[in-house]
């Protein structure tokens, strides 16, 4: 399993490990807004029936994953409440990530606070404010550096081990709180695998379309 796939499993399956880490991506704010000076993307081309079916399956699976995660979040909160040691583990992981991300020119916590403040500022600006696009672009640049450092931090075997242990401990505690969580985790893992399969299928579909030679004149 690649580091990225392992990280994805930790992030989603343990649910609020996004919340747990605290330093997970601040959020893809204004994802539909083009960067400053860049025109909006053209309309999507007409999709084939197979592409439409794949997109519908993807959207439905994503909604089902969201519903499962929502159910599990309450169980997770209760697990943390009943197991204070988990909170200490989570804080230790967060500190390890922050330390791995930081150096003499970059402080992870300060950057995270700065990015959150930028989001608040952007949300308070009017849509037609000419400075808004500049602020969004500035945010994206800061977020990109933050995420690159975060991804690099997760390449550290010690952090991977620490993350995996917390993931497993959180799951075990959740199952004790509510035994139904065990089946929910199995269902969640299966749906996440299905999502990855759909993504791979879409990429292969796109590659095969690009490989089709243009009709001769």
């Amino acid at each position: 399993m690649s580091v990225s796939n392992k990280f994805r499993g930790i992030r989603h399956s343990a649910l609020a490990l996004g919340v747990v880490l605290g330093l997970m991506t601040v959020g893809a704010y204004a994802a539909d807004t083009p960067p400053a000076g860049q025109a909006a993307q053209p309309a999507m081309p007409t999709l084939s029936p197979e592409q439409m079916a794949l997109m519908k399956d993807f959207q439905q699976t994503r909604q089902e994953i969201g519903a499962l995660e929502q159910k599990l979040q309450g169980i997770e909160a209760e697990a943390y409440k009943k197991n204070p040691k988990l909170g200490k583990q989570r804080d230790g992981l967060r500190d390890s990530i922050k330390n791995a991300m930081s150096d003499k020119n970059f402080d992870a916590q300060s950057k995270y606070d700065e990015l959150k403040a930028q989001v608040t500022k952007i949300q308070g600006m009017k849509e037609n404010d000419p400075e808004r696009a500049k602020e969004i672009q500035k945010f994206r640049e800061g977020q990109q550096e933050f995420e690159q450092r975060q991804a690099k931090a997760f390449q550290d075997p010690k952090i991977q081990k620490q993350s995996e242990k917390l993931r497993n401990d959180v799951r075990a505690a959740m199952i004790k709180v509510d035994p139904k969580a065990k089946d929910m985790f199995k269902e969640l893992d299966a749906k996440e695998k299905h999502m990855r399969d759909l993504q791979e299928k879409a990429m292969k579909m796109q590659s095969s379309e690009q490989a089709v030679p243009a009709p001769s004149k």
Side-chain angles (χ1 to χ4, degrees), residues 12 54-70 188 191-192 194-195 198-199:
H12 289 292
L54 190 147
M55 181 179 288
K56 184 177 180 181
D57 191 357
F58 184 90
Q59 290 173 340
Q60 182 177 338
T61 304
R62 186 167 59 181
Q63 289 174 354
E64 290 169 351
I65 287 174
L68 272 171
E69 289 182 337
Q70 192 171 13
L188 184 63
K191 290 188 183 299
E192 286 176 350
H194 184 56
M195 282 277 279
L198 290 174
Q199 288 171 336

Side-chain angles (χ1 to χ4, degrees), residues 13 29 57 67 70 73 77 79 110 137 160-161 168 170 173 190 209:
S13 300
Y29 183 76
D57 191 357
Q70 192 171 13
Q73 282 172 359
S110 295
Q137 181 66 17
Q160 290 182 28
K161 186 177 180 180
N168 292 335
V170 168
E209 287 178 355

Side-chain angles (χ1 to χ4, degrees), residues 141-216:
E141 289 171 357
Q143 183 189 33
Q144 184 178 20
E145 180 185 11
F146 187 93
E147 290 180 344
Q148 286 172 348
R149 284 177 175 267
Q150 181 176 271
K152 187 177 179 180
F154 267 91
Q155 293 174 11
D156 185 333
K158 291 182 180 179
I159 289 178
Q160 290 182 28
K161 186 177 180 180
Q162 205 173 347
S163 301
E164 191 70 18
K165 185 177 188 309
L166 178 59
R167 173 186 181 274
N168 292 335
D169 289 350
V170 168
R171 280 196 169 196
M174 289 172 68
I175 291 169
K176 285 184 179 180
V177 169
D178 186 344
K180 292 179 182 178
K182 186 174 182 178
D183 290 334
M184 289 187 207
F185 281 131
K186 287 181 181 178
E187 187 178 357
L188 184 63
D189 290 341
K191 290 188 183 299
E192 286 176 350
K193 182 182 182 303
H194 184 56
M195 282 277 279
R196 292 194 292 274
D197 291 343
L198 290 174
Q199 288 171 336
E200 289 177 10
K201 186 176 179 181
M203 289 177 69
K204 288 178 182 177
M205 196 181 297
Q206 185 178 13
S207 297
S208 63
E209 287 178 355
Q210 291 174 346
V212 175
S216 57

